[in-house]
């Protein structure tokens, strides 16, 4: 929905009921509204109908291989950090039917394409997630019209982080925690002195139009100062970091002993690539009905951790976990630069949290690439 | 495709519970279509009419636990153009392979009034240890979607789409929140082959490993993770020692005596 920056720099203050009106306005405009809500033991992104669906008073705690919901005492609606899976789920769906063919009376017929889905409004997109969406938009720009259509028709309501998880390292990647662009509306949630506000800025004409319809007052400069100060503290609170120049050198260490060490722990389960908001790999599968009169071609999320992923004539090129783990982080941090002009990691930390054995990409890079300052 | 010949099918039972072969009858919506393209030559759960081989496809359920079974599977192999083993029993030995870790006489003595009537092998072994097989469908029981996929692939001369990667990949595609990471529930999914349709993780449970080891399972690392999470050797042993206890990757995990 991006249609150029806006000159109006004013920030408005929304109350929770205004946020509800915002969601209603989006629904009224025909958007399928997706935002955070309480799922099975985690805050997940799913369809929402209003603020009543938001995870009020829920936060989370994350570490390597560890996630727990935590109650908060401030009733914040966006007090969680990051959902288990990113917006990749809706912009680059895990299973897509590419086409279907049927044998008709005379000849083979292409089944009609599915009607395009309703445009989506994504509520609660974090800074690192916006960066990841930009990365995938670049990856898919020339090759996946479905992605381009879904991205371009989506409206983004970003929400800046009020705290980081222990697994976050967006600050060291330059991809957060500040939300600087790529949104239609940006919200900053402030709960203090008995008030609950959302400081709103617009980033597009559509965003401005929707916000204007709510007629909310301008924000109090004291609240803006509080939010700016807090954002600095969020960035400073991150204890993990991943230096981009170190990641880019991974290719020089293809025979490092650490690959075998990490392979001893790595389950080759693929969770890291599945939850990574930038990993884009898919495989294609053809199916038939029993009669052989209808075939369908499906595209699924795939991972460089499966054996079939590197199957060439006669066998898999990456038979063991060492070569598969090396492929994952070398692509993500080094060769991604050659392909797409930046790294494929935005520092969301999901691959750390959702790895069942807590393998930490920042720690692995430190163990493999010598620290420049120490040499 | 009117000129296509029907596929002649034989279904065989070895030591097992019948659950896997019943999956074929359980394919309600597809049953008529299956009957249209598959000719049932031998399937005692469905019909008493029995035809002699050779068969285009034999589906074999169960493990080998008696001398008679060890002979029968060779005969069936000779009569089958293609032979697919179905279920945990046929692919790894099944729950009855727990006997492989105990003394058979102790079991027989505890269960039967006349132990001398029992003529049984000391071990329960998968069909795959006795004859070459063309295909494996895992699970306890198998998944009917995978069964139809196998038949459809054979009928249409294509490779069946049966994954060998971990259950975790299916959890993530489905959107199930990880049981292990979000609740601390021990889960065999990272070392278990996908295929069940994410049954347990979408019902608040960890994966029990019905589908047996995934393509390159690192069960040592997962067991170490369970241990670090507070499980004792005996609990770890029990987790791995259920439907697929006899699978090489699961066999040695944990320790039966260590609390
Ligand atoms: S590599 Fe890990 S931290 Fe980086 S974007 Fe992917 S999931 Fe997030
Ligand atoms: S890291 Fe692996 S799954 Fe992710 S984009 Fe690269 S090759 Fe694909
Ligand atoms: S690094 Fe972790 S999440 Fe990724 S494949 Fe290995 S064990 Fe699974
Ligand atoms: S619930 Fe189990 S199978 Fe699913 S992702 Fe988590 S560890 Fe893997």
């Amino acid at each position: 929905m991006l249609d150029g920056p806006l000159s109006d720099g004013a920030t408005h203050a929304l109350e929770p009921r205004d946020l509800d009106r915002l969601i209603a306005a989006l629904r009224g405009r025909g958007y399928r509204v997706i935002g955070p809500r309480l799922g099975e033991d985690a805050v997940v992104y799913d369809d929402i109908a209003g603020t009543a669906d938001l995870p009020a008073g829920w936060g989370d705690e994350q570490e390597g291989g560890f996630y727990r919901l935590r109650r908060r005492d401030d009733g914040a609606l966006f007090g969680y950090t990051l959902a288990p899976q990113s917006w990749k789920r809706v912009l680059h769906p895990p299973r897509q039917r590419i086409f279907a063919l049927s044998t008709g009376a005379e000849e083979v017929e292409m089944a009609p394409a599915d009607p395009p889905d309703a445009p989506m409004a994504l509520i609660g997109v974090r800074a690192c997630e916006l960066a990841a969406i930009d990365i995938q938009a670049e990856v898919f720009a020339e090759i996946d019209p479905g992605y381009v259509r879904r991205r371009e028709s989506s409206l983004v309501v970003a929400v800046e982080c009020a705290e980081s998880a222990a697994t976050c390292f967006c600050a060291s990647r330059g991809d957060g925690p500040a939300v600087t662009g790529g949104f239609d509306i940006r919200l900053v949630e402030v709960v203090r002195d008995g008030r609950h506000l959302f400081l709103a800025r617009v980033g597009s004409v559509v965003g401005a139009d929707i916000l204007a319809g709510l007629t909310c007052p301008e924000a109090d400069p004291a609240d803006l100062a509080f939010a700016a100060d807090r954002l600095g503290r969020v960035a400073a609170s991150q204890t993990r970091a991943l230096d981009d120049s170190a990641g880019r050198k991974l290719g020089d260490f293809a025979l490092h002993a650490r690959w075998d060490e990490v392979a001893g722990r790595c389950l080759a389960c693929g969770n890291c690539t599945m939850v990574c908001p930038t990993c884009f790999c898919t495989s294609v599968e053809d199916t038939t009905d029993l009669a052989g009169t209808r075939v369908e071609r499906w595209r699924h999320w795939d991972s460089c951790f499966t054996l079939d992923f590197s199957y060439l004539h006669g066998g898999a090129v990456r038979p063991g976990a060492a070569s598969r783990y090396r492929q994952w982080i070398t692509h993500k941090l080094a060769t991604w630069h050659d392909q797409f002009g930046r790294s494929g990691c935005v520092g969301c930390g999901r691959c750390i949290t959702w790895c069942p054995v807590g393998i930490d990409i920042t720690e692995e890079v430190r163990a493999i690439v010598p620290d420049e300052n120490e040499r | 495709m009117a000129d296509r010949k029907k596929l002649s099918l034989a279904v065989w039972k070895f030591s097992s519970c019948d659950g896997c072969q019943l999956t074929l009858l359980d394919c309600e919506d597809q049953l008529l279509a299956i009957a249209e393209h598959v000719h049932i030559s031998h399937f005692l759960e469905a019909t008493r009419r029995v035809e002699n081989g050779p068969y285009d496809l034999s589906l074999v359920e169960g493990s080998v636990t008696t001398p008679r079974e060890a002979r029968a599977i060779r005969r069936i192999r000779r009569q089958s153009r293609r032979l697919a083993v179905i279920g945990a029993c046929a692919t790894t030995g099944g729950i009855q392979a727990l006997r492989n870790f105990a003394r058979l006489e102790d079991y027989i003595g505890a269960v039967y009034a006349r132990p001398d009537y029992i003529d049984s092998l000391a071990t329960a072994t998968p069909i795959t240890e006795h004859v070459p097989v063309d295909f494996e469908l895992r699970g306890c029981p198998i998944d009917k979607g995978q069964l139809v996929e196998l038949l459809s692939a054979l009928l249409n001369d294509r490779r069946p789409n049966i994954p060998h990667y971990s259950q975790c990949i299916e959890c993530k595609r489905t959107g199930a929140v990880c049981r292990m990471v979000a609740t601390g529930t021990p889960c065999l999914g990272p070392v278990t082959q996908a295929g069940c349709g994410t049954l347990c993780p979408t019902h608040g449970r960890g994966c029990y490993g019905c589908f047996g080891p995934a393509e390159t399972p690192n069960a040592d690392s997962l067991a170490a993770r369970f241990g670090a999470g507070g499980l004792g050797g005996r609990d770890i042993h029990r987790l791995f020692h259920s439907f697929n206890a006899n699978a090489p990757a699961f066999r040695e995990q944990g320790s039966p005596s260590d609390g």
Side-chain angles (χ1 to χ4, degrees), chain B residues 80-91:
Chain B
S80 312
R81 281 196 195 93
R82 292 240 175 76
L83 187 151
V85 283
I86 58 170
C89 301
T91 54

Side-chain angles (χ1 to χ4, degrees), chain A residues 40-42 44 65-68 85 89 94-95 263-267 269 271 274-275 285-292 300-301 303 306-308 319 324 353-354 356-357, chain B residues 1 4 30 33-34 37 148 151-152 155-156 158-159 161 165-166 168-175 177-184 190-191 204 215-216 218 221-222 225:
Chain A
E40 188 100 12
D41 302 301
V44 300
F66 180 91
Y67 175 105
R68 289 295 181 279
Q85 294 201 32
R89 270 198 87 68
R95 301 183 176 101
R265 287 175 285 137
C266 177
L267 306 164
C269 61
N271 275 306
M274 294 279 133
V275 297
E285 233 171 61
D286 291 340
T287 66
T288 51
D289 64 355
L290 288 159
H300 308 271
W301 282 359
S303 164
T306 72
L307 204 53
D308 272 353
R324 287 183 241 165
T353 300
W354 299 99
V357 290
Chain B
M1 295 269 169
R4 199 172 66 185
Q30 304 261 31
I34 292 174
H37 303 284
V148 174
L151 294 175
S152 178
L155 283 165
N156 292 295
R158 64 175 171 85
R159 195 178 85 139
N161 297 312
Y165 46 66
S166 75
C168 298
I169 290 198
E170 277 307 319
C171 279
K172 290 297 176 285
R173 287 178 180 160
T174 306
V177 175
C178 177
R179 296 296 89 203
M180 192 132 94
V181 171
T183 67
V191 296
E215 52 197 9
T216 53
N218 187 350
S221 172
L222 187 62
R225 171 78 186 81

Side-chain angles (χ1 to χ4, degrees), chain B residues 61-215:
Chain B
E61 169 197 278
S63 60
V64 173
T65 64
T66 65
R68 202 164 59 96
E69 287 178 338
R71 289 189 297 275
I73 189 59
R74 289 171 202 287
R75 195 182 69 243
I76 291 168
R77 174 71 265 193
R78 279 196 300 273
Q79 296 173 352
S80 312
R81 281 196 195 93
R82 292 240 175 76
L83 187 151
V85 283
I86 58 170
C89 301
T91 54
T92 69
I95 199 90
Q96 60 272 29
L98 285 174
R99 72 157 69 156
N100 303 3
F101 306 90
R103 274 164 30 108
L104 179 64
E105 309 88 83
D106 296 347
Y107 277 170
I108 294 180
V111 175
Y112 296 100
R114 292 289 307 268
D116 49 312
Y117 280 6
I118 306 299
D119 179 18
S120 195
L121 295 168
T123 54
T125 44
I127 301 294
T128 46
E129 277 185 28
H130 295 264
V131 293
V133 306
D134 299 295
F135 214 80
E136 281 191 1
L137 287 185
R138 301 280 195 83
C140 185
I142 55 168
D143 173 74
K144 59 182 173 188
Q146 288 202 338
L147 179 59
V148 174
E149 167 63 16
L150 175 67
L151 294 175
S152 178
L154 286 177
L155 283 165
N156 292 295
D157 228 358
R158 64 175 171 85
R159 195 178 85 139
N161 297 312
I162 305 287
H164 303 289
Y165 46 66
S166 75
Q167 170 52 35
C168 298
I169 290 198
E170 277 307 319
C171 279
K172 290 297 176 285
R173 287 178 180 160
T174 306
V177 175
C178 177
R179 296 296 89 203
M180 192 132 94
V181 171
T183 67
T185 308
C187 179
L188 291 183
V191 296
T192 297
Q193 179 169 303
C196 66
T198 316
L199 277 178
C200 291
T202 51
H203 289 84
R205 289 165 185 264
C207 166
Y208 292 100
C210 307
F211 276 61
E215 52 197 9

